[in-house]
Amino acid sequence: MNLASDFSRLKVAVAQFPAVNDIAANKKYIHDLTLQAVADGVELLVFPEAAMCSFGSDLPTLREIARQHSPGFIAFMQGLARSHQMNIIVGVLSLSDDPAEERVTNQLLVINAQGEVIVRYTKLHVYDAFNFKESDKVKPGDIKSDGSELGLFKIKDFTIGLVNCYDLRFPELSRALAVKGADVISVSAAWIAGPYKENHWEILLRARAIENTSYVLASGQTATRCVGNSMIIDPMGSVLAGCADQPGLAVHVLEKNRLRQVRSILPCLENRRF
């Protein structure tokens, strides 16, 4: 049985590069990394948060980029997914649907192999920490009574939940995704470099995998502004594949049997009391 027809196995990749306000340069990185993933037979490719522009830009710049480039960038990503029959997760910044809202929205899009946007997850926890104030520029997503604010989708036998950068520091979000059925948590980030930050990135990613007995896919932007260090993590917390600080790709095959094995010997989700 080949991989494409085996629904219990999923070949995934996490990509990393430094996004700038030169949209064409970002597209070149994305195009080249996508071709590399195609050559590796990848079925799900994860790109970083805000992959279309420089996340640290001021609000007028972000608004202008969102207005001018967001629709075309999304269409470009849809074309890549459709052309290569690949599922893609990518971070974009867009204008708010509310005309009175000056701030942009920070979203993760899931694009299926037919080029359709099937999920738009709006970042819930904006990065107001380490002397940064994302809420000045980005409107956080709203919490809904029905839980529809969560980003969840299925590929083959795998249910995948979305986490956007600073969301990673709030374990209740990843747990909510796991309770809703996620056995893979996909994290897209522009994890800003600084003291302690690279340690926090890896420790938190591995903790989310261990406590939820889930695979974690982590894609982050690279230096000079961000830490890179994208990785794929086993449900027991081991790093299965990863990148260092340069643009590139890490690839691994997720196994449904591995998830069942881990959840059998470590039934955290069944044993929880809260």
Side-chain angles (χ1 to χ4, degrees):
M1 181 182 292
N2 64 37
L3 188 62
S5 61
D6 184 352
F7 276 56
S8 69
R9 301 171 75 227
L10 180 69
K11 195 164 196 178
V12 301
V14 292
Q16 62 178 35
F17 71 97
V20 294
N21 286 342
D22 182 342
I23 310 300
N26 299 334
K27 287 181 176 179
K28 178 69 164 58
Y29 270 123
I30 289 169
H31 178 264
D32 291 349
L33 289 165
T34 299
L35 291 185
Q36 186 178 335
V38 170
D40 285 335
V42 168
E43 298 167 283
L44 171 65
L45 175 57
V46 185
F47 283 106
E49 173 191 27
M52 60 179 280
C53 63
S54 176
F55 183 66
S57 303
D58 59 32
L59 180 56
T61 300
L62 292 179
R63 282 187 59 82
E64 185 61 17
I65 289 172
R67 185 183 68 80
Q68 281 197 14
H69 297 290
S70 185
F73 180 83
I74 293 169
F76 166 76
M77 298 303 307
Q78 289 179 280
L80 281 179
R82 184 169 51 249
S83 296
H84 300 295
Q85 294 289 289
M86 180 185 291
N87 301 278
I88 292 175
I89 299 170
V90 65
V92 301
L93 299 180
S94 301
L95 295 178
S96 173
D97 292 333
D98 179 359
E101 177 59 64
E102 286 291 309
R103 296 173 295 176
V104 297
T105 59
N106 184 341
Q107 293 184 322
L108 300 182
L109 306 186
V110 181
I111 305 169
N112 68 16
Q114 291 73 51
E116 302 162 329
V117 177
I118 59 171
V119 176
R120 286 178 178 265
Y121 165 66
T122 302
K123 187 177 186 179
L124 291 174
H125 303 92
V126 294
Y127 182 55
D128 287 359
F130 291 96
N131 299 312
F132 196 92
K133 197 86 186 303
E134 186 181 3
S135 63
D136 286 345
K137 301 183 285 188
V138 174
K139 182 184 184 300
D142 297 322
I143 302 296
K144 309 288 181 59
S145 59
D146 61 357
S148 60
E149 73 278 8
L150 300 177
L152 285 157
F153 66 103
K154 286 203 72 169
I155 301 177
K156 292 184 167 181
D157 290 338
F158 297 84
T159 301
I160 299 158
L162 300 177
V163 167
N164 192 339
C165 200
Y166 192 49
D167 283 337
L168 180 63
R169 292 185 181 273
F170 301 87
E172 59 270 23
L173 174 58
S174 294
R175 176 51 55 89
L177 293 168
V179 169
K180 289 275 190 178
D183 41 34
V184 181
I185 295 169
S186 181
V187 183
S188 293
W191 199 266
I192 298 173
Y196 307 108
K197 298 296 293 302
E198 190 167 334
N199 282 340
H200 288 190
W201 170 245
E202 181 171 347
I203 290 166
L204 290 166
L205 289 169
R206 295 176 76 177
R208 297 298 87 84
I210 294 165
E211 69 199 7
N212 294 300
T213 53
S214 299
Y215 283 109
V216 169
L217 317 178
S219 166
Q221 291 196 33
T222 58
T224 56
R225 188 173 179 80
C226 299
V227 303
N229 201 23
S230 300
M231 63 187 81
I232 299 169
I233 303 171
D234 179 80
M236 276 293 195
S238 296
V239 177
L240 300 169
C243 308
D245 60 347
Q246 297 300 308
L249 202 67
V251 181
H252 196 77
V253 176
L254 309 188
E255 304 269 357
K256 195 72 178 183
N257 283 342
R258 174 59 175 165
L259 281 161
R260 283 192 282 264
Q261 176 194 39
V262 170
R263 290 182 172 185
S264 173
I265 63 175
L266 183 59
C268 292
L269 296 175
E270 290 182 20
N271 292 161
R272 63 195 170 88
R273 299 184 65 188
F274 289 93

